[in-house]
Amino acid sequence: MTNLDLQHLVEQLSVTEFHRPFLHHAFFNRRLRTTGGRYQLQSHNIDINPKMLTDFDEATLIGVIKHELCHYHLHILGQGYQHRDAAFKQLLARVGGSRYAPQPKSGVAVHAYRYTYQCQSCGQVYHRKRRMDTRRYTCGHCRGRIKLV
């Protein structure tokens, strides 16, 4: 699916589900990593994560588009467009949009912990994302010395 195909799909969904035209631009944005899509308040454009199409089926993509169109139409009408607003929740339920986008499956593998430390006295293991100074810190259980494994 190209950006032009996405634009046509968004325009079609806007007319059929919301009964209002979509007058701005919709495109895929590869830089989106943790979200399914984004509505831009200043430009009124909609960015869609391309992994919503490659990792999942078209129904998931349509759910994300409906979610972003809820933000779009409510913002244009001057109503509550944020996730916490009742108008947003009601419109999202009425059109059948997805409340949350699924976590993308593919991409760069992120290791939760990069460093593993172990107490030399009691053997307690500590996992850390950041490196720590072993001269400043001691074991929280026995106050023993900590060593990078």
Side-chain angles (χ1 to χ4, degrees):
M1 179 179 279
T2 65
N3 283 334
L4 188 59
D5 296 335
L6 178 67
Q7 179 73 29
H8 291 310
L9 179 62
V10 171
E11 290 171 356
Q12 176 190 357
L13 285 172
S14 180
V15 171
T16 58
E17 297 291 332
F18 297 89
H19 308 293
R20 296 183 157 276
F22 178 72
L23 304 174
H24 294 84
H25 298 287
F27 51 89
F28 288 112
N29 186 347
R30 292 183 300 113
R31 293 184 307 249
L32 297 179
R33 297 206 183 271
T34 60
T35 184
R38 176 177 61 188
Y39 167 64
Q40 298 176 9
L41 292 174
Q42 282 76 24
S43 65
H44 304 293
N45 293 335
I46 292 178
D47 300 349
I48 300 294
N49 188 341
K51 292 181 181 176
M52 293 298 113
L53 181 63
T54 58
D55 290 359
F56 304 101
D57 57 350
E58 193 170 345
T60 303
L61 176 68
I62 289 173
V64 170
I65 291 172
K66 287 179 182 179
H67 179 101
E68 300 308 324
L69 282 173
C70 286
H71 288 299
Y72 172 80
H73 288 296
L74 289 171
H75 183 247
I76 296 291
L77 293 173
Q79 297 178 2
Y81 59 89
Q82 295 180 343
H83 292 124
R84 66 176 180 244
D85 295 325
F88 177 81
K89 291 177 183 178
Q90 290 170 357
L91 182 61
L92 189 65
R94 184 174 64 82
V95 298
S98 60
R99 181 83 167 110
Y100 302 102
Q103 188 70 26
K105 297 174 187 170
S106 62
V108 179
V110 178
H111 298 290
Y113 306 114
R114 294 179 60 193
Y115 300 100
T116 303
Y117 295 91
Q118 187 173 17
C119 175
Q120 293 179 338
S121 300
C122 67
Q124 174 69 32
V125 177
Y126 299 95
H127 299 287
R128 296 288 179 263
K129 290 182 181 181
R130 291 180 160 186
R131 194 174 178 98
M132 66 182 221
D133 186 5
T134 56
R135 292 173 291 170
R136 284 185 65 188
Y137 298 101
T138 60
C139 176
H141 293 275
C142 70
R143 304 277 184 222
R145 293 186 47 137
I146 297 177
K147 174 181 159 188
L148 179 64
V149 178

